[in-house]
Amino acid sequence: MSYLEYTVKTTPTGLSKVLYLNWALVLLLTAVGSVGFVMLYSVAGGNLSRWAEPQMQRFAVGMLVLFAVAMVPIWFWRNMSALAFAFALALLVAVEFFGSVGMGAQRWIDLGFVRLQPSEIAKIALVMMLAAYYDWLPVRKVSHPLWVLVPLAIILVPTYLVLRQPDLGTALLLLAGGGAVMFLAGVHWAYFVAVVGAGIGGIFAVLRSRGTEWQLLQDYQYRRIDTFLDPASDPLGAGYHITQAKIALGSGGLSGRGFMQGTQSRLNFLPEKHTDFIFTTLAEEFGFIGAVSLLVLYALVVLFCVISALKTRDRFSSLLILGIAATFFLAFSVNMAMVMGLAPVVGVPLPLVSYGGSAMMVMMGAFGLVQSAHVHRPR
């Protein structure tokens, strides 16, 4: 019996697919989302309709998206990878001409009933495209210089378009997520050493370009770097965000001040308390125990994805699952590092917890792809 015949005969069909869902992963995602509901209710001062209720509605729709995507065979999503990537690029180009401006950046497309952020779609479409590329490419050619240039171009094109918005945080996530898929596909480590060296040179060039005609970053991005290196240099200006975040983190102690008792958020000292800095509210109200509990939930989500990837015999499915897991890991780790002062403030939301529509819908759809690979793997 060929592998294709074995796959067809051992893959669940019809309603039986529901039984083969990774229900542990569904419960973990629900637990993470529930943390977000509770914290959004808290930061709104006990107002359910302001942020928590819309987030619950989005999560419910997102769960339906997850189930719908999971029921579709994984080979379909493989065949759609190039189209999804092209669609994401088209949306990023559309942002250049029709995008709406918010917080000093042009990152959204206003469709009337929703504000779509194409860069979120690009993160998952990039993983799909790279997984399909390495599934097509023979293993012996993975580290050949000519065949390494192709995925580099696939990564750099959306990264450049996102940088133009400007959105440095998402651009870095695109680079890191794409690099993770290349590494997992077996690209030789020497290429990554070269990239690290080029990155160090790039950082030097960025710092040297400040104040010149060829300045590489926006002024506010340089202020973020200054704030990261010395938040106390401007505690009421550029350093205000991280200073208040550190106060909230430190005041939580071991077990926290108590639900809805966080002074930093309730007195509005904490900026962007419902989006990028929601983790600091969690740490202030539930302390070290609450913060670590959320981190454990995130780690379990990644672990279950890795286990699912190891069980599949399909290269595309394995790379897709691991790529999505890496993207998810990078998102929450960068956000947590950012609010703790371990990384510059780059505006990366906490996945499934921060208030927002595009990020949640795309992430739930991404986990639908994970479920599709899990459901349709040969048994």
Side-chain angles (χ1 to χ4, degrees):
M1 183 186 297
S2 69
Y3 177 69
L4 179 59
E5 291 172 334
Y6 174 75
T7 301
V8 172
K9 290 184 178 181
T10 57
T11 300
T13 58
L15 293 177
S16 64
K17 294 181 181 181
V18 177
L19 300 176
Y20 286 92
L21 285 170
N22 190 337
W23 285 103
L25 183 59
V26 172
L27 292 175
L28 283 170
L29 294 175
T30 303
V32 173
S34 298
V35 171
F37 307 151
V38 171
M39 297 317 304
L40 289 171
Y41 178 79
S42 176
V43 297
N47 186 338
L48 184 66
S49 61
R50 187 176 183 184
W51 293 315
E53 186 176 350
Q55 189 81 340
M56 292 177 187
Q57 295 170 351
R58 291 166 178 164
F59 185 83
V61 174
M63 191 61 74
L64 293 176
V65 171
L66 184 151
F67 288 139
V69 173
M71 295 300 104
V72 179
I74 191 63
W75 60 261
F76 174 84
W77 298 119
R78 183 199 181 282
N79 294 341
M80 292 293 292
S81 295
L83 183 60
F85 184 70
F87 177 67
L89 291 183
L91 288 177
L92 289 175
V93 173
V95 170
E96 290 275 327
F97 301 98
F98 311 109
S100 58
V101 179
M103 295 180 291
Q106 188 168 323
R107 304 173 184 171
W108 298 269
I109 296 177
D110 194 345
L111 300 178
F113 61 95
V114 66
R115 291 182 72 197
L116 183 66
Q117 190 171 356
S119 59
E120 294 293 335
I121 299 175
K123 287 192 292 187
I124 305 304
L126 174 63
V127 171
M128 292 177 65
M129 185 65 198
L130 290 174
Y133 171 77
Y134 282 113
D135 181 52
W136 166 82
L137 186 69
V139 176
R140 66 181 184 276
K141 295 183 179 181
V142 165
S143 293
H144 190 283
L146 177 63
W147 298 106
V148 169
L149 291 176
V150 176
L152 282 179
I154 292 173
I155 295 170
L156 291 176
V157 171
T159 300
Y160 170 74
L161 292 172
V162 171
L163 273 176
R164 286 184 56 85
Q165 294 180 0
D167 188 351
L168 179 61
T170 303
L172 291 175
L173 290 181
L174 284 168
L175 283 175
V181 176
M182 291 182 67
F183 179 80
L184 293 166
V187 175
H188 197 275
W189 60 267
Y191 289 103
F192 298 95
V193 172
V195 170
V196 170
I200 294 173
I203 292 173
F204 178 76
V206 166
L207 296 177
R208 290 285 295 175
S209 71
R210 187 173 188 175
T212 66
E213 294 181 356
W214 51 282
Q215 181 171 299
L216 297 176
L217 297 181
Q218 302 291 329
D219 289 336
Y220 80 92
Q221 292 172 329
Y222 280 106
R223 288 195 296 272
R224 286 180 175 178
I225 296 174
D226 295 337
T227 302
F228 167 64
L229 297 175
D230 184 16
S233 61
D234 189 12
L236 298 179
Y240 180 80
H241 288 57
I242 193 61
T243 299
Q244 297 301 321
K246 287 183 175 181
I247 292 173
L249 287 166
S251 63
L254 179 63
S255 58
R257 291 176 174 270
F259 181 53
M260 295 183 62
Q261 299 302 314
T263 57
Q264 292 300 107
S265 59
R266 289 187 62 81
L267 298 177
N268 290 324
F269 287 112
L270 191 63
E272 304 298 332
K273 59 185 180 181
H274 64 299
T275 53
D276 296 350
F277 285 82
I278 195 169
F279 180 70
T280 57
T281 303
L282 172 70
E284 183 182 20
E285 295 187 359
F286 296 99
F288 178 78
I289 295 174
V292 170
S293 298
L294 177 60
L295 186 59
V296 168
L297 289 176
Y298 278 138
L300 287 174
V301 169
V302 175
L303 177 62
F304 273 82
C305 287
V306 172
I307 292 173
S308 181
L310 293 175
K311 288 182 177 180
T312 182
R313 296 170 58 184
D314 174 44
R315 184 170 172 79
F316 170 76
S317 298
S318 180
L319 287 175
L320 178 67
I321 295 172
L322 292 174
I324 290 172
T327 300
F328 184 72
F329 169 80
L330 288 166
F332 74 75
S333 59
V334 167
N335 177 274
M336 290 180 176
M338 175 185 75
V339 301
M340 289 188 288
L342 301 177
V345 177
V346 290
V348 175
L350 192 61
L352 304 181
V353 176
S354 293
Y355 182 77
S358 295
M360 175 170 284
M361 288 297 120
V362 172
M363 190 56 67
M364 294 299 285
F367 282 112
L369 294 172
V370 172
Q371 292 281 14
S372 175
H374 180 81
V375 168
H376 296 95
R377 65 181 173 86
R379 287 173 169 80

